[in-house]
Structures are given as structure tokens and as C-alpha cells.
């Protein structure tokens, strides 16, 4: 089963996101800031991460940079950024840092689920190839 880590300091939004993902059949993990998110990624190796950018303790940008520098074995994990920061510079910064996608709040769940579906297809194909199927 595909596992998705949701990292957001807004509890209500995180809960709605988790509910949508679980309704779609995904296993979910949660964290309320980037530091907790990093700990969850390292200990659970989720298949995909959905992460807010502006959070206390460690931002989404800082988390992604930390993964790429100090955890190269996890750096290929698809990383989808969510944020209220809709300006072009923040979007470019997130994508250039290695984010798979960048969605602004309020979240368009149809678009987000379409992106997740594409990521899941790629993950499952990579797993099949890795098993020699």
C-alpha cells in the first residue's frame, strides 16, 4: 500500500487532507512541522510527501534541502509542496529545489489527486522494474 506523509502546521487542513487520502485508499502519516516531518521520513520512508512551506521549527524548503544534502537515499521521494505563498518566486524556488509539484491553498483536491495518481503510477512502475517484472 502506498504511504503518504502529510506535513502541515494547520491541524484542520492536515486532517482534511489525510481524510481525502485515506478515502482514496492510501496509508497516511502526519507531522505538524518540518522537523517532525524529517523524523517521519527517516523512520518510515513514505512513498510520497505532501508538505506545507511556511511552518514553525523547519520550513518545507528547509526540509527538502535537508533531505537532499543529508539523506540522498530519500531525496528521490516525490515531494509535493502546498502553500499560501502563491507568488512566482516561491513557486520557482520550490520547483528548482526538487519539488515534484507546487500547489497553492486553498487546495484544488482534484488537481492534487491527479498529481498523486501520476506519482503513484511511477512509483509502482519503478517497484515492478526493481523486482524484474
Amino acid at each position: 500500500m502506498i504511504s503518504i506523509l502529510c506535513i502541515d502546521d494547520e491541524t484542520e487542513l492536515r486532517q482534511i487532507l489525510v481524510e481525502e487520502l485515506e478515502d482514496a485508499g492510501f496509508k497516511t502519516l502526519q507531522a505538524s512541522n518540518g522537523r517532525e516531518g524529517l523524523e517521519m521520513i527517516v523512520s518510515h520512508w513514505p512513498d510520497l510527501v505532501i508538505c506545507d512551506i511556511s511552518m514553525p521549527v523547519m520550513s518545507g524548503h528547509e526540509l527538502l534541502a535537508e533531505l537532499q544534502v543529508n539523506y540522498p537515499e530519500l531525496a528521490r521521494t516525490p515531494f509535493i509542496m502546498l502553500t499560501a505563498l502563491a507568488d512566482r518566486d516561491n513557486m520557482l524556488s520550490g520547483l528548482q529545489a526538487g519539488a515534484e509539484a507546487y500547489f497553492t491553498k486553498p487546495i484544488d483536491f482534484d488537481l492534487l489527486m491527479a498529481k498523486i495518481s501520476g506519482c503513484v503510477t511511477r512509483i509502482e512502475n519503478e517497484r515492478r522494474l526493481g523486482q524484474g517484472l
Side-chain angles (χ1 to χ4, degrees), residues 96-123:
Q96 289 169 342
E100 182 79 24
Y102 189 104
F103 288 91
T104 56
K105 298 175 184 178
I107 301 167
D108 181 325
F109 282 100
D110 291 333
L111 286 176
L112 178 61
M113 294 306 286
K115 182 61 183 179
I116 291 169
S117 178
C119 289
V120 167
T121 297
R122 191 175 67 244
I123 291 165

Side-chain angles (χ1 to χ4, degrees), residues 11-73:
T11 304
E12 185 176 333
L13 177 61
R14 190 176 67 246
Q15 292 298 332
I16 291 168
L17 184 55
V18 163
E19 194 173 299
E20 289 284 329
L21 293 167
E22 288 177 350
D23 286 349
F26 298 108
K27 176 184 173 190
T28 60
L29 303 163
Q30 299 182 50
S32 62
N33 64 57
R35 178 67 54 206
E36 287 178 13
L38 178 61
E39 292 169 7
M40 293 294 287
I41 292 168
V42 171
S43 63
H44 294 283
W45 287 56
D47 296 299
L48 189 141
V49 175
I50 300 173
C51 184
D52 187 17
I53 289 178
S54 299
M55 295 180 291
V57 185
M58 178 186 273
S59 73
H61 287 299
E62 293 167 333
L63 171 56
L64 185 54
E66 177 78 14
L67 282 174
Q68 292 176 340
V69 170
N70 295 315
Y71 300 92
E73 69 279 11

